[in-house]
Amino acid sequence: MSPTVPFVSPPKLLGPFSALEDCDFSFVGEGASNVVFEVRVPPSKRGSISSKLFEGTGNLLRVPKAGTKAYSYEDLHAYWETVVKPLFEPQNLVQHQLILLGGEAVIRRLNSILEKEDATRRADFRGSRVAMAKYGMLIEDMRQRHPDDLTFEFKPKWLAQSPSAPPTATRCRNCAREALKRHANPDRQPKSSAILCPLDFRTCATSPISLANVLNHLTPRVHKPTANAHPPSVSLNGHSPASPRPTPSQSARLRHWLQTNTLLPRLRQAQLANDGLGPLGADASDPHFQLAMTLRDCTCFVRVPANPELPIEAKLADLDKKNWMAKMEYWRAMEQKLIEGGYYEGKEVPRMETGCVLERERGWMKGIGEQVKEVKDDDGV
Ligand SMILES: O=P(O)(O)O[C@@H]1[C@@H](OP(=O)(O)O)[C@H](OP(=O)(O)O)[C@H](O)[C@H](OP(=O)(O)O)[C@H]1OP(=O)(O)O
Ligand SMILES: Nc1ncnc2c1ncn2[C@@H]1O[C@H](COP(=O)(O)OP(=O)(O)OP(=O)(O)O)[C@@H](O)[C@H]1O
């Protein structure tokens, strides 16, 4: 399949211009380029067009931030429909629809909510505002449906090594990137917290250490760290702030999902299939490479229902087309920095603790090598 974007007919629009004007909003979350709000129809507007559109739909409103280099929502939607959607099963994607925001009044209200949230927002997001955009997206709400549902989100990031990483690397691209982040800003997180290596997702079925690492990270309050497992971190943005303590049945279902899901292997396969060269070798205008970068920066939402009869839901979101013209230089410079700074090989000074799967495997190989050497020495070989 070619990831070039063919012509797509104009998006199906939801709602007349005034649909959002009747609604109340509250802040749900944000990233570098977008903000997500809950939409509620006040009781006085029951029976209105808005209530027909939003009540009981389980949708949230996603809107673009001002001042970013991201593509417009029309472009993101066309890319998602034609390039991203065919790669995954529909039940593994957070579905969305474009909606007309309907003018400045709604955006001003969203911005006044953001302003009130400023004190508690991530420092580098504080002060950012919603763009005066034409469209928002109605997105499937992946939060709890029942107060006892277990929910969390994480960024799977680079599920395979970067093709332009050095062959001597003892860290994957994500762990190298995390080491650089901590090196640049050691106070960013408590020093003791380690990073979940994305390669651990791949080995959950075969390695109890990988499974424990992932569980500790995703549901930190339940799975006590074992000697070899690493404590939770926010490196993959995994968290379950509103979730209750999982029941034994939820823990068992989550374990089973981690060991058997086909979504993360499929995501990894698509990352690999679209980039065999890495940021240093890829042609900046290659749509496959651009797609690989989109697939390396998405979010996975997981909901483990309280009701054991209901299946686990796992869906990818934030599969936005990357503005390669604005980002290629950053991607190349980042790869160069990770290589030259020794971050792929754990040679930075002072050395940051990351707990990468590659490092663990090298450690075992070294250990086995030393045992073999000892046996050979004992035998006088
Ligand atoms: O460069 P990375 O790997 O740190 O990823 C960036 C993300 O940082 P992370 O490491 O996930 O905390 C970063 O996430 P945050 O803003 O740090 O939450 C963005 O997703 C960024 O993409 P864009 O500039 O918004 O298109 C991401 O940039 P790219 O995926 O385009 O590289
Ligand atoms: N479908 C959803 N259900 C529940 N919460 C969501 C959903 N989509 C987004 N959120 C919340 O909003 C936050 C920001 O959303 P989003 O990932 O769209 O922002 P972004 O700017 O694209 O992020 P990034 O900087 O990673 O590219 C998420 O981390 C999550 O907390």
Side-chain angles (χ1 to χ4, degrees):
M1 187 217 57
S2 161
T4 46
V5 187
F7 172 78
V8 277
S9 53
K12 274 188 237 136
L13 296 180
L14 197 61
F17 276 92
S18 60
L20 288 165
E21 278 170 15
D22 286 345
C23 300
D24 290 336
F25 306 100
S26 53
F27 176 79
V28 171
E30 66 180 320
S33 312
N34 304 280
V35 195
V36 172
F37 294 92
E38 185 179 299
V39 186
R40 284 184 314 276
V41 184
S44 60
K45 303 287 179 186
R46 294 272 147 82
S48 67
I49 294 175
S50 315
S51 75
K52 290 197 182 89
L53 277 172
F54 302 115
E55 270 179 10
T57 57
N59 282 325
L60 299 171
L61 176 68
R62 184 185 195 221
V63 286
K65 283 188 179 178
T68 75
K69 300 239 166 63
Y71 284 111
S72 72
Y73 272 21
E74 292 109 299
D75 288 341
L76 297 188
H77 178 74
Y79 188 75
W80 187 86
E81 280 286 339
T82 57
V83 177
V84 172
K85 208 164 106 176
L87 297 176
F88 300 98
E89 300 289 339
Q91 71 274 15
N92 286 146
L93 290 173
V94 169
Q95 301 294 327
H96 73 259
Q97 276 178 288
L98 289 187
I99 180 165
L100 288 163
L101 290 174
E104 284 183 23
V106 166
I107 296 167
R108 270 201 299 272
R109 283 171 55 209
L110 297 177
N111 275 333
S112 79
I113 295 170
L114 273 187
E115 202 177 329
K116 285 192 198 114
E117 293 284 334
D118 262 343
T120 53
R121 293 169 72 192
R122 206 172 97 175
D124 53 339
F125 293 161
R126 213 168 287 153
S128 63
R129 295 289 179 258
V130 176
M132 284 294 163
K134 189 172 173 190
Y135 298 109
M137 276 178 199
L138 281 188
I139 56 172
E140 213 179 331
D141 188 349
M142 287 304 292
R143 296 174 304 166
Q144 292 164 302
R145 288 204 178 126
H146 180 279
D148 291 332
D149 286 351
L150 170 68
T151 58
F152 51 86
E153 65 176 272
F154 60 93
K155 282 186 169 188
K157 300 296 291 190
W158 297 54
L159 290 165
Q161 179 61 298
S162 166
S164 45
T168 46
T170 52
R171 282 191 188 131
C172 71
R173 196 284 186 176
N174 185 71
C175 290
R177 173 79 184 98
E178 289 296 328
L180 169 62
K181 275 187 206 166
R182 284 169 191 221
H183 207 244
N185 185 1
D187 300 329
R188 201 179 134 104
Q189 287 175 45
K191 286 202 178 76
S192 59
S193 71
I195 292 154
L196 176 65
C197 174
L199 307 187
D200 268 325
F201 284 109
R202 192 173 179 219
T203 41
C204 272
T206 51
S207 157
I209 294 175
S210 289
L211 183 63
N213 281 343
V214 173
L215 288 168
N216 289 335
H217 179 84
L218 298 180
T219 57
R221 282 169 296 171
V222 185
H223 305 275
K224 290 201 182 74
T226 60
N228 288 319
H230 296 284
S233 84
V234 294
S235 66
L236 293 186
N237 292 345
H239 59 86
S240 50
S243 283
R245 197 183 172 83
T247 61
S249 153
Q250 282 171 317
S251 294
R253 280 184 286 156
L254 176 57
R255 242 174 247 273
H256 183 255
W257 182 81
L258 288 169
Q259 293 177 314
T260 58
N261 81 88
T262 53
L263 174 61
L264 296 179
R266 186 181 282 234
L267 176 64
R268 177 178 181 273
Q269 196 45 45
Q271 292 178 354
L272 282 168
N274 284 286
D275 176 24
L277 298 169
L280 296 185
D283 178 345
S285 61
D286 176 0
H288 288 280
F289 175 70
Q290 295 156 19
L291 172 59
M293 293 310 282
T294 291
L295 297 167
R296 287 164 174 157
D297 191 37
C298 63
T299 302
C300 184
F301 288 91
V302 178
R303 183 161 47 211
V304 190
N307 180 349
E309 305 287 306
L310 298 176
I312 287 197
E313 291 171 273
K315 297 178 189 240
L316 301 180
D318 196 10
L319 284 156
D320 294 339
K321 180 183 182 182
K322 293 268 178 192
N323 184 343
W324 62 269
M325 274 187 279
K327 295 223 70 162
M328 195 64 203
E329 214 177 293
Y330 164 78
W331 290 330
R332 288 201 173 128
M334 178 57 67
E335 188 77 329
Q336 206 72 52
K337 209 170 185 175
L338 297 179
I339 296 170
E340 285 167 11
Y343 295 98
Y344 270 117
E345 290 156 317
K347 286 184 180 163
E348 73 281 350
V349 182
R351 193 171 181 281
M352 302 286 125
E353 194 205 331
T354 53
C356 187
V357 167
L358 293 186
E359 197 170 25
R360 226 162 54 213
E361 284 172 354
R362 295 254 166 162
W364 285 333
M365 293 309 285
K366 205 169 148 227
I368 290 167
E370 272 158 17
Q371 279 172 19
V372 171
K373 191 170 165 287
E374 272 168 31
V375 172
K376 281 183 177 170
D377 288 349
D378 286 351
D379 288 352
V381 180

